[in-house]
Amino acid sequence: MASPDSPTGSAAQALARRFAFVVEQAGERLDLLVARHGDLSRTQAATLIATDHVVVNGRHEKASYRGEVGDRVEVTVPPPPGRDIVPEQIPLDIVFEDDHLLVVDKPAGMVVHPAPGNWTGTLVNALMGRGEPLAEGGGEDRAGLVHRLDKDTSGLLVVAKTDASHRVLSSALAARRVTRRYVAVCWGHLHADTLTVDQPLARDPRDRTRMAIVQGGKAARTDFVRLARFDSVDLLRAHLHSGRTHQIRVHLASVGHPVIGDDTYGGGGGRKLAALPPRRHFLHAAWLRFVHPVSGEVVDLRSPLPPDLRQSLAVLSGMPELASTHDPLDVFGFYQLQDGQTG
């Protein structure tokens, strides 16, 4: 039995990530089920099963176990052994803060939480470096995070300071009561001014670093509204109904219009034409609305386009004045919704 001081002891277990799910379709292997529901590789899932970190209906099963409808699967992902999350003094743009939560305007290029290859310099390191209390429910490596943004996506992100706020905000997010709208520029032109992509997402079976549309994956829906059409690109507002990894990027790529600058999903060509810096794609979490978990008041926050995306939009639109406009999104009606419109 592990001692409390060992990596698998009580201290480490307190920092572990836990999730559970119910099997909805019979016949899939346990390691594949765990990998899909936990955004893990199949090897990681198999290791968790072999080390008794996966329980099916209260029992330990092998990786080859075939799930049955109604099976309840509980998974504990222990923290990496010997890795302490180090607080760092990294400046952050805090756009809202009180005793219960804060909202960060994350810059492109910043990883959200520590992981192999990125143990320092992350948003979590920076949050811990502020010395303020953070919710512990998500584990030390998540440090109050309610949701995430991709490394090269900029914009608004919610962090809970208390476990109570984290529970309420996470429940609101799962129930689609947190409104997140992104601005994106895609290559080519949509066939209509509005588009809904409702396709399930999971790890790409051929490349675990990518996501893909996979039948049996997690449900994912994105509504797109075209705000402007330029020579070679469309300016879009994207409304997330779910928050899967790389969701907007995969959904746009699936209809043949990848986000410009997105090297992973086919939009990386023409970077010079788009005036984008290296490793930057045109995707920004610009508008965030939610009900405050304690006061009950509506929190409505907006993040103007950062300078690199303003410059890109100025070039792509042929409107050089946009590079010096405080928030070009106002020019294109990004924050204006028609009656009944959700996109």
Side-chain angles (χ1 to χ4, degrees):
M1 179 179 296
S3 71
D5 295 326
S6 72
T8 55
S10 59
Q13 286 300 312
L15 301 178
R17 177 166 73 97
R18 296 179 175 85
F19 64 92
F21 59 91
V22 175
V23 176
E24 298 179 350
Q25 185 173 348
E28 189 171 3
R29 285 173 56 103
L30 182 59
D31 52 355
L32 294 175
L33 285 166
V34 171
R36 176 159 53 83
H37 284 274
D39 282 341
L40 302 166
S41 70
R42 186 172 178 178
T43 299
Q44 289 173 315
T47 299
L48 291 173
I49 295 167
T51 53
D52 292 339
H53 287 95
V54 179
V55 177
V56 182
N57 300 328
R59 305 186 307 273
H60 294 295
E61 302 285 0
K62 295 182 178 180
S64 58
Y65 171 80
R66 300 283 178 173
E68 299 180 1
V69 175
D71 280 350
R72 177 173 173 80
V73 182
E74 299 175 70
V75 183
T76 300
V77 183
R83 287 288 187 180
D84 293 326
I85 309 303
V86 180
E88 296 181 78
Q89 300 298 313
I90 302 172
L92 291 174
D93 184 3
I94 307 295
V95 298
F96 178 91
E97 183 171 16
D98 61 15
D99 292 338
H100 310 285
L101 61 94
L102 62 90
V103 178
V104 180
D105 197 345
K106 186 189 85 70
M110 174 178 271
V111 174
V112 170
H113 59 80
N118 292 288
W119 294 112
T120 61
T122 73
L123 177 61
V124 166
N125 295 107
L127 289 168
M128 294 180 66
R130 299 177 75 237
E132 297 283 338
L134 295 166
E136 299 178 355
E140 185 184 23
D141 63 336
R142 297 299 194 268
L145 296 176
V146 176
H147 59 108
R148 294 175 290 177
L149 291 175
D150 301 337
K151 174 183 177 182
D152 294 316
T153 299
S154 51
L156 301 172
L157 185 147
V158 185
V159 180
K161 288 188 172 184
T162 68
D163 284 344
S165 293
H166 192 275
R167 285 193 297 272
V168 174
L169 289 167
S170 296
S171 295
L173 191 71
R176 302 178 183 177
R177 296 194 300 270
V178 176
T179 301
R180 291 172 291 165
R181 293 189 173 97
Y182 293 64
V183 58
V185 173
C186 70
W187 287 117
H189 304 296
L190 303 185
H191 293 302
D193 288 336
T194 61
L195 169 70
T196 294
V197 181
D198 193 348
Q199 294 285 358
L201 300 179
R203 291 285 173 186
D204 189 328
R206 295 167 295 183
D207 182 351
R208 303 297 295 181
T209 66
R210 294 163 46 99
M211 303 298 289
I213 291 176
V214 177
Q215 297 309 309
K218 292 183 180 180
R221 173 183 165 183
T222 315
D223 291 338
F224 297 98
V225 174
R226 177 164 52 205
L227 302 175
R229 174 179 173 139
F230 305 124
D231 285 346
S232 56
V233 300
D234 279 348
L235 175 68
L236 308 175
R237 179 176 61 225
H239 177 197
L240 288 178
H241 291 269
S242 48
R244 310 307 179 198
T245 302
H246 300 177
Q247 178 173 323
I248 293 173
R249 298 161 61 192
V250 176
H251 275 174
L252 280 175
S254 74
V255 296
H257 300 289
V259 173
I260 68 171
D262 189 349
D263 298 312
T264 302
Y265 297 105
R271 187 178 296 278
K272 289 185 178 180
L273 173 66
L276 279 174
R279 295 179 297 280
R280 177 63 154 132
H281 51 239
F282 204 120
L283 184 60
H284 178 67
W287 194 4
L288 179 66
R289 262 180 121 256
F290 60 93
V291 173
H292 192 283
V294 176
S295 72
E297 296 180 354
V298 174
V299 179
D300 190 319
L301 300 170
R302 302 175 183 186
S303 170
L305 277 183
D308 56 352
L309 297 189
R310 288 205 309 266
Q311 178 61 36
S312 177
L313 186 59
V315 170
L316 291 166
S317 65
M319 302 168 63
E321 66 274 15
L322 295 181
S324 56
T325 302
H326 172 65
D327 191 358
L329 299 183
D330 272 326
V331 175
F332 297 101
F334 182 87
Y335 305 106
Q336 300 172 9
L337 298 180
Q338 302 298 320
D339 291 341
Q341 190 179 48
T342 62

